[in-house]
Amino acid sequence: MDIIAIDTPSLGDRSYLVGDGEVAFVVDPQRDIDRVLALAAQRGLRITDVFETHIHNDYVTGGLVLARATGAAYHVNVADPVSFDRVGITDGDVVRVGVQMRVRALATPGHTFTHLSFVLEAPDRPAAVFTGGSLLYGSTGRPDLLGPVHTGELVRAQYASAHRLAGVLPDEAEIYPTHGFGSFCSSTQSDADRSTIGREKQINPVLVRDEHDYVEELLAGLDAYPAYYAQMGPANLAGPDAPDLSEPKAVDATELRARIDAGEWVVDLRSRIAFAAGHVVGSLNFGIDGSFATYLGWLIPWGTPLTLLGDTAEDVAVAQRELIRIGIDRVEAAATGRPEEWTGTAALGTFPRATFPDLASVRHHRPVTVLDVRRQLEWTEQHIDGALHVPLHELLGRLAEIPDGEIWVHCQAGYRASIAASVLAAAGHRVVAVDDEFDHAPSAGLPMAVA
């Protein structure tokens, strides 16, 4: 029997294909189901069941489309008010998959009110539990995604659910969470690749601390989460259609300029190094080499027409796949090649890149604005004294607060700083992107402060 994790690193999530050599079930599939179908075909598995642990907040599910494509039963909590036919499942229900596998549903509210975990029981192997956004590796799922009015109730439910899992499952039971690998659905992140109930009893705060301490610590550690999450629940309740991954239409320099001038988003997928060296004036840099979909989905006004620029058609295709996972289904157009081909006779835009030692040096010679675009918790822990703090996800709405003059923008490692620099450059600011690790700032001699 195989439990195969299907990673989506850009969103920090995992789906699972579980097979006995003949039949299989899938837990929490992403929308691009071709990955699941290819794995099942390679192993000669027939998918008979698809399980959702919860109505997801961070991606558009592929569960309904996968069930329709394979004829599988689609198991969704009977209490979820979905707009499509499903096989309702609830606490204590048992589903037989093939001859050997039994999947038992356990109610584990906390990440959502209707969250379920699924326990796999089969001969001659330890139990396994697919915990979705409940018990994670060294952590638990966030309890605040349904709004602050529900957070207090959900965080206590999350505590009770983790203790339920630890109480009903043996120590050797293997844990397979959906979140916790970089997803903002996780309250904290972990580098662990596997764990068991027994291991979590030793190290997980929800199982080590008392309820009061767990609640206080978790709530104190919560920070902002992507704005596009507000779109995911309604999309998943409605039943997402199959995505369209066909190639966008090609555009030339004249049309690119017209789209930018019309207020559409033209997004350059190249690295921040390449973008700083030369780009279409007014375009924005969300490199495909980083958390592209997370930050693009976070910043873009929902529904804004989108054009992609990439080195190759393959880069554009990768970006499309990332975008359909968060419900951005339509890319209006695309162009590939070199930035000189995208500008016609117009000059390329450029801006300098620098390090924290460069910033320390320049501050001795002239006044500059230091703009920190990290999130609130990062700023609170430590920041450059005298810096202006505008988190990246707030920047578009707070451009009026950015002073004139030279702006040196930084984040933790450079990726978010390049996004911010592109936004500021498009707005007409004179900008320098600090492409350096923030840990280097103190040793560069920059004065530090805490909030």
Side-chain angles (χ1 to χ4, degrees):
M1 187 176 299
D2 289 327
I3 300 176
I4 305 159
I6 304 168
D7 286 307
T8 306
S10 57
L11 297 180
D13 289 321
R14 283 182 180 173
S15 307
Y16 298 95
L17 174 69
V18 185
D20 66 359
E22 295 182 0
V23 299
F25 67 88
V26 179
V27 180
D28 290 346
Q30 291 272 342
R31 196 176 182 197
D32 48 330
I33 64 169
D34 54 339
R35 295 185 295 165
V36 180
L37 295 173
L39 281 170
Q42 288 169 12
R43 288 161 174 77
L45 297 170
R46 178 170 56 90
I47 297 172
T48 61
D49 297 86
V50 179
F51 296 90
E52 296 282 10
T53 58
H54 60 293
I55 301 299
H56 300 285
N57 292 294
D58 64 333
Y59 66 86
V60 176
T61 182
L64 180 60
V65 171
L66 180 61
R68 287 174 175 170
T70 60
Y74 188 30
H75 303 278
V76 179
N77 194 319
V78 69
D80 287 322
V82 297
S83 303
F84 50 85
D85 291 334
R86 42 76 194 276
V87 179
I89 190 168
T90 192
D91 184 49
D93 287 352
V94 176
V95 178
R96 288 193 172 275
V97 182
V99 176
Q100 299 185 68
M101 298 184 288
R102 297 170 74 251
V103 179
R104 176 162 51 101
L106 291 179
T108 48
H111 190 48
T112 68
F113 284 105
T114 57
H115 191 286
L116 296 170
S117 295
F118 296 105
V119 180
L120 169 63
E121 298 164 341
D124 303 322
R125 74 172 321 281
V129 58
F130 300 90
T131 56
S134 185
L135 185 64
L136 313 181
Y137 296 156
S139 185
T140 52
R142 293 178 71 136
D144 61 328
L145 300 183
L146 301 185
V149 68
H150 300 300
T151 300
E153 181 179 358
L154 285 172
V155 70
R156 288 168 176 80
Q158 191 74 292
Y159 183 86
S161 293
H163 281 262
R164 182 187 188 193
L165 291 170
V168 303
L169 294 170
D171 283 356
E172 64 269 20
E174 302 162 344
I175 299 172
Y176 294 92
T178 301
H179 303 315
F181 311 98
S183 169
F184 281 87
C185 276
S186 177
S187 55
T188 60
Q189 303 303 327
S190 171
D191 294 329
D193 192 53
R194 61 181 58 201
S195 191
T196 62
I197 290 291
R199 172 65 175 159
E200 294 307 308
K201 285 180 178 179
Q202 296 174 346
I203 57 95
N204 197 311
V206 73
L207 298 176
V208 172
R209 293 172 172 76
D210 64 29
E211 182 177 2
H212 177 270
D213 289 347
Y214 160 76
V215 168
E216 292 296 312
E217 180 180 319
L218 185 145
L219 294 181
L222 294 177
D223 208 338
Y225 55 84
Y228 71 83
Y229 277 24
Q231 312 294 328
M232 301 299 95
N236 288 325
L237 289 169
D241 294 329
D244 179 7
L245 289 172
S246 59
E247 186 175 346
K249 78 165 187 172
V251 290
D252 60 15
T254 301
E255 185 169 347
L256 284 175
R257 175 47 49 198
R259 288 182 177 276
I260 292 172
D261 292 344
E264 299 184 12
W265 272 35
V266 173
V267 168
D268 193 323
L269 304 170
R270 296 175 303 142
S271 74
R272 57 185 182 264
I273 298 173
F275 185 86
H279 57 267
V280 178
V281 173
S283 63
L284 305 176
N285 181 220
F286 292 80
I288 199 66
D289 56 347
S291 297
F292 160 75
T294 295
Y295 287 106
L296 177 58
W298 202 332
L299 268 69
I300 192 170
W302 208 251
T304 300
L306 177 63
T307 295
L308 301 177
L309 307 177
D311 284 325
T312 66
E314 289 75 16
D315 287 343
V316 171
V318 169
Q320 278 185 275
R321 183 175 290 265
E322 297 282 1
L323 292 171
I324 60 99
R325 291 171 179 157
I326 63 167
I328 299 179
D329 288 356
R330 185 179 178 191
V331 174
E332 300 285 339
T336 58
R338 302 178 60 222
E340 292 83 1
E341 301 172 71
W342 306 334
T343 56
T345 58
L348 292 174
T350 65
F351 53 74
R353 294 166 49 251
T355 64
F356 284 110
D358 295 331
L359 174 58
S361 176
V362 79
R363 290 179 94 190
H364 291 300
H365 303 289
R366 63 182 185 273
V368 299
T369 296
V370 179
L371 177 62
D372 185 335
V373 295
R374 297 175 302 154
R375 292 188 297 278
Q376 183 62 43
L377 287 179
E378 296 172 290
W379 164 268
T380 300
E381 183 178 345
Q382 189 179 48
H383 59 266
I384 297 171
D385 193 24
L388 172 65
H389 181 226
V390 180
L392 175 61
H393 61 275
E394 298 178 8
L395 182 59
L396 285 170
R398 297 175 60 183
L399 282 174
E401 300 176 30
I402 307 302
D404 294 332
E406 190 175 340
I407 311 294
W408 286 58
V409 58
H410 80 86
C411 61
Q412 190 69 29
Y415 185 83
R416 288 173 290 173
S418 182
I419 297 173
S422 72
V423 169
L424 293 169
H429 285 280
R430 188 156 48 101
V431 65
V432 177
V434 178
D435 192 358
D436 197 358
E437 296 285 341
F438 184 70
D439 292 348
H440 298 160
S443 61
L446 289 162
M448 308 305 290
V450 296

